Amino acid sequence: MPTMSLRRGVLLILPLLWTQAAEAHGIAGNRYFAGTMTFDDPAVADELILPNFSYLGYPTQGSAIVENRINGAFARLLTPTLAFTIDSSWAHQGWPIGSTSGFDKTNIGLKYEAYRDNRHEALISVGLAWGVGHSGAAAIGADAPDTIQPGIFFGKGFGDLPDSLSWLRPFAITGALVDEVPIGTGGIALAPNLVTRRFDTVISPAVETLHWGFSIQYSTLYLTKRFDGGPPKDEPLNQLVPLVEFRFESPRGQATAASANPGFAYVAVTWQVAAEAIIPLNRAGGSGPGFRAQLLLFLDDLVPSLFGKPLISDHPARTQIAW
């Protein structure tokens, strides 16, 4: 699709998104699943992530790079269980011979809440996204072909455990599995030439990549008198959630990049703020420790006059607190 046609399409879509919506938050029963930063969480909601900042050094293109990246993502409910999603990012890359910068590829998709069990604090969503080919800058290696990205996202809390295992109730796990399949042969990128001290234009091959990860979260709500083992009396907000995320990137035929990301999230009524350290688990995962931080806005609570119900239907297929 030509760049100008794509921009016209986005401009036509955005006014439709800026209307009214419904309930947000990744909540199942008494459990709030914190919005993770290295993969998508199982929530289907009206949300805005801006910014998601990260800093990390890692090897690529036969050299070393230090990257500062700012991600942004927007989700808009079409029905109570179906959302339209769009995300992209801007990156600045520091090389031994200079720097490059530009926007990454834009991804547009749909995400559907496929399963919910409030009593057992379980949530599963599925998604399908289109990575818009040539919507990113060749300077940062984002001039890739179109991609199709099917994915599954899940969360399970342990608040339903019996009294004999009550010490495990604050814990939860979330995870995601997304397969990025290229539709095309590849694009172009800039690679440093250490001999000429200049950047050369090279072919960037298209490689199918499996993006996967999981998190272990600890809900401090379960340490208070708000939790009595029964149906929730209100939303489990205003709490601190310590967590650790494990992220893996597995390009076909290449080494998997792995990292552990310990940190915390604090969730309020209209927003969540989170921060993590990035600890590479292998050489492909990074050349040293990094850092990331994120601000997540719950648009239905932040701007209720504009986000009051989904675009197409506000008839709920299920409720968040039904026991």
Side-chain angles (χ1 to χ4, degrees):
M1 179 181 293
T3 302
M4 189 58 66
S5 298
L6 174 62
R7 290 176 179 172
R8 289 197 186 104
V10 171
L11 290 175
L12 289 174
I13 289 172
L14 287 178
L16 297 178
L17 302 177
W18 194 259
T19 59
Q20 295 190 336
E23 297 177 351
H25 316 313
I27 295 173
N30 284 294
R31 177 70 55 178
Y32 170 78
F33 297 109
T36 43
M37 289 183 280
T38 62
F39 56 85
D40 202 0
D41 60 69
V44 176
D46 286 317
E47 296 178 342
L48 175 65
I49 296 175
L50 192 67
N52 183 340
F53 171 80
S54 64
Y55 166 86
L56 182 66
Y58 57 91
T60 186
Q61 300 281 7
S63 183
I65 182 176
V66 175
E67 181 178 88
N68 292 277
R69 180 176 291 265
I70 300 175
N71 294 71
F74 175 71
R76 180 67 172 96
L77 285 175
L78 304 178
T79 75
T81 54
L82 178 67
F84 168 87
T85 63
I86 182 169
D87 68 82
S88 189
S89 61
W90 181 86
H92 180 271
Q93 300 176 338
W95 303 81
I97 64 170
S99 63
T100 57
S101 61
F103 282 96
D104 205 343
K105 182 168 55 180
T106 297
N107 301 292
I108 299 173
L110 294 172
K111 188 177 180 184
Y112 174 69
E113 182 187 296
Y115 176 79
R116 169 184 291 274
D117 187 332
N118 292 306
R119 178 184 291 274
H120 297 293
E121 302 182 348
L123 199 59
I124 299 175
S125 299
V126 294
L128 182 63
W130 164 41
V132 183
H134 310 294
S135 60
I140 62 167
D143 180 44
D146 294 89
T147 61
I148 300 298
Q149 304 165 30
I152 184 169
F153 317 92
F154 67 88
K156 175 65 177 79
F158 301 125
D160 57 343
L161 290 176
D163 290 342
S164 59
L165 295 173
S166 60
W167 65 276
L168 285 173
R169 287 174 179 165
F171 288 96
I173 59 172
T174 67
L177 185 70
V178 177
D179 190 19
E180 185 175 13
V181 182
I183 310 299
T185 57
I188 60 174
L190 295 184
N193 187 320
L194 300 182
V195 176
T196 63
R197 309 293 295 180
R198 301 179 65 179
F199 289 97
D200 296 334
T201 300
V202 299
I203 299 298
S204 177
V207 179
E208 180 181 358
T209 303
L210 187 65
H211 308 272
W212 55 290
F214 66 94
S215 76
I216 301 172
Q217 306 183 4
Y218 189 90
S219 171
T220 54
L221 168 69
Y222 287 80
L223 305 179
T224 71
K225 294 181 179 179
R226 290 178 60 191
F227 176 73
D228 58 11
K233 298 178 176 62
D234 51 18
E235 290 185 330
L237 305 178
N238 297 313
Q239 63 166 305
L240 182 70
V241 183
L243 55 82
V244 56
E245 300 180 32
F246 295 90
R247 179 186 182 183
F248 306 91
E249 305 282 336
S250 301
R252 182 180 292 275
Q254 301 179 27
T256 293
S259 66
N261 306 268
F264 72 91
Y266 179 79
V267 55
V269 175
T270 60
W271 50 269
Q272 174 195 292
V273 64
E276 294 176 347
I278 304 173
I279 302 175
L281 298 179
N282 58 11
R283 175 61 178 169
S287 54
F291 173 79
R292 65 170 54 90
Q294 174 183 279
L295 175 62
L296 168 62
L297 302 175
F298 307 133
L299 294 178
D300 67 324
D301 287 323
L302 185 65
V303 194
S305 61
L306 296 177
F307 294 87
K309 65 179 182 179
L311 285 171
I312 297 175
S313 170
D314 60 354
H315 180 70
R318 57 189 72 88
T319 70
Q320 291 183 331
I321 62 172
W323 209 251

